[in-house]
Amino acid sequence: MVQLLRLDLHQMNRLADLVHDPVIAPHLPALAQCVAQRESGFSTDKKAIQLARVLAGLPAVTPSSTDVSRDRIRIGAPTDLDHHQTHALQDALIHLKPWRKGPFDIFGVRLDSEWNSSIKWNRLAAHLPCQTGKRILDIGASNGYYLFRLADQHPAWVLGIEPYLNFYFQFLALSRYLAIPHVHCLPLKLEALPEMRSCFDTVLCMGILYHRRSPLDTLLQIHRLLAPGGLLVLETLIVEGDAEMALFPQKRYARMNNVFFIPTVSCLTHWLNRCGFTDIRCIDVSRTTLAEQRKTAWIDTQSLEDFLDPRDPRKTVEGYPAPVRAMLLATASSR
Ligand SMILES: C[S@@+](CC[C@H](N)C(=O)[O-])C[C@H]1O[C@@H](n2cnc3c(N)ncnc32)[C@H](O)[C@@H]1O
């Protein structure tokens, strides 16, 4: 419990460096209140207590060097740890499973996550305008893989929100070693975020929209969060074709029971347009392959190969078109 308390304070202390930013500073009390409310449940949450213990077991070392500029984010070198510390690290990383996003090299432990997130990052990086000095929000940041990659572009600060405890604690573990100033993540849902009007220059909404019951309300909320002229990076499942339509699965899509609307790119463009976005451009459409999403030793669950029809991998097990994702950039118009 003491350890939990220490972690929470650490998080809020780190947020405190945003006090000097006149754009976000007025919103910090409300943000801190939301975080405090969420974290007040941690002390009685078995999962949070277990994960805090795992974090406490991480070796207390400072990596000799780190590198967030490459596809595989690297922390330290194997020689930074002695035998016992290596064992403790491996044990902690295993207890933080499932690792959905990565890859990482953590003191020589090659952590291949279910998703090779560098593939999505590289699709984005090829089109992302310079992020130096920008205020960035990543919705559903998972363990922070994209937060760390963004940090390499010298933004003013990057804030992730990730409500799922396993992923949030993975972020805490990684950031303990990466220790990059101005990279933050909070255990919040998008809908729990206070009204932080015009706070962000860039918002990443990747792998989120198809999970939303009301995608237009989500896009409207993001529009309010963005400063006029701010950039939305939207990545979501789509169906191919020119029709201005969306697929709404009867129950499950690729074994997920929380998938709602899967639009065509033109339907998505209309949604964005009607929610106040302009200069909408689709920068990538890619079928999800087994090179990008696959079962590895760092997850104990099923993966893409189990979600596709074994007789026809162009279809999901439910008979819907197999996952294809589009990435769009759009500009928030002034209100
Ligand atoms: C499909 S993953 C996408 C992760 C990452 N953004 C990416 O594109 O690789 C969705 C993420 O959103 C998180 N999430 C789920 N519900 C959320 C909510 N209400 N608000 C913010 N994030 C949420 C999940 O825990 C998960 O990490």
Side-chain angles (χ1 to χ4, degrees):
M1 214 61 69
V2 172
Q3 179 63 25
L4 261 181
L5 220 58
R6 231 160 29 99
L7 283 173
D8 299 347
L9 287 173
H10 169 68
Q11 245 342 71
M12 290 317 297
N13 282 343
R14 291 192 63 198
L15 257 198
D17 71 35
L18 300 182
V19 165
H20 305 293
D21 183 325
V23 171
I24 197 167
H27 301 280
L28 287 180
L31 195 58
Q33 203 179 348
C34 292
V35 176
Q37 194 178 350
R38 175 82 212 273
E39 290 184 341
S40 65
F42 283 8
S43 55
T44 52
D45 183 323
K46 277 190 188 150
K47 186 83 185 165
I49 293 167
Q50 180 222 325
L51 290 168
R53 287 208 181 102
V54 172
L55 243 59
L58 283 170
V61 284
T62 304
S64 51
S65 65
T66 59
D67 186 356
V68 294
S69 70
R70 292 172 195 268
D71 289 351
R72 185 181 292 275
I73 292 178
R74 186 180 58 75
I75 294 171
T79 46
D80 295 347
L81 304 186
D82 65 24
H83 173 72
H84 296 290
Q85 288 172 322
T86 302
H87 186 77
L89 174 72
Q90 282 170 341
D91 195 51
L93 296 178
I94 286 168
H95 280 93
L96 288 169
K97 283 205 275 187
W99 288 84
R100 300 271 179 227
K101 311 297 167 184
F104 300 95
D105 177 328
I106 310 176
F107 299 109
V109 176
R110 285 174 72 82
L111 198 158
D112 285 306
S113 49
E114 178 190 14
W115 286 83
N116 181 347
S117 309
S118 71
I119 296 178
K120 194 188 285 192
W121 171 258
N122 288 326
R123 282 181 199 128
L124 171 59
H127 299 270
L128 189 66
C130 173
Q131 292 298 298
T132 302
K134 302 290 188 193
R135 303 171 172 97
I136 306 177
L137 174 69
D138 184 10
I139 302 166
S142 191
N143 61 29
Y145 179 87
Y146 304 113
L147 301 178
F148 300 127
R149 298 300 306 267
L150 282 162
D152 198 39
Q153 303 206 355
H154 309 290
W157 43 260
V158 195
L159 176 65
I161 49 172
E162 174 50 60
Y164 189 68
L165 285 183
N166 260 84
F167 307 149
Y168 174 64
F169 275 76
Q170 287 171 7
F171 169 83
L172 293 181
L174 295 165
S175 62
R176 174 177 294 190
Y177 296 123
L178 286 167
I180 306 175
H182 314 313
V183 172
H184 307 278
C185 190
L186 299 174
L188 298 178
K189 290 184 174 177
L190 175 62
E191 50 274 36
L193 213 56
E195 193 70 20
M196 299 172 74
R197 204 169 265 272
S198 302
C199 263
F200 303 95
D201 302 308
T202 303
V203 172
L204 272 59
C205 177
M206 306 200 298
I208 301 293
L209 205 65
Y210 53 86
H211 289 312
R212 309 298 290 177
R213 286 168 195 275
S214 176
L216 270 75
D217 286 332
T218 299
L219 293 175
L220 287 167
Q221 183 184 1
I222 293 171
H223 191 275
R224 290 193 298 275
L225 292 168
L226 276 164
L231 178 74
L232 167 63
V233 176
L234 179 63
E235 192 257 7
T236 192
L237 285 171
I238 55 127
V239 283
E240 291 173 301
D242 298 328
E244 296 152 336
M245 291 167 63
L247 166 70
F248 186 85
Q250 188 191 10
K251 208 166 184 187
R252 288 173 168 242
Y253 174 86
R255 294 204 199 280
M256 293 180 280
N257 57 13
N258 59 351
V259 172
F260 300 99
F261 296 91
I262 308 181
T264 60
V265 170
S266 66
C267 177
L268 192 55
T269 304
H270 293 333
W271 289 356
L272 284 164
N273 204 257
R274 290 175 67 167
C275 291
F277 290 91
T278 57
D279 194 18
I280 301 158
R281 55 262 190 222
C282 179
I283 57 168
D284 184 76
V285 173
S286 294
R287 182 171 294 276
T288 306
T289 66
L290 291 169
E292 186 169 5
Q293 185 189 14
R294 75 285 195 214
K295 197 158 169 49
T296 74
W298 293 93
I299 61 161
D300 293 325
T301 53
Q302 295 185 324
S303 191
L304 182 62
E305 65 211 79
D306 308 296
F307 306 152
L308 300 180
D309 182 340
R311 290 156 305 174
D312 183 0
R314 290 168 306 168
K315 293 205 168 83
T316 68
V317 286
E318 300 86 4
Y320 294 118
V324 175
R325 289 160 189 269
M327 191 178 281
L328 284 80
L329 301 184
T331 304
S333 58
S334 47
R335 284 160 275 264

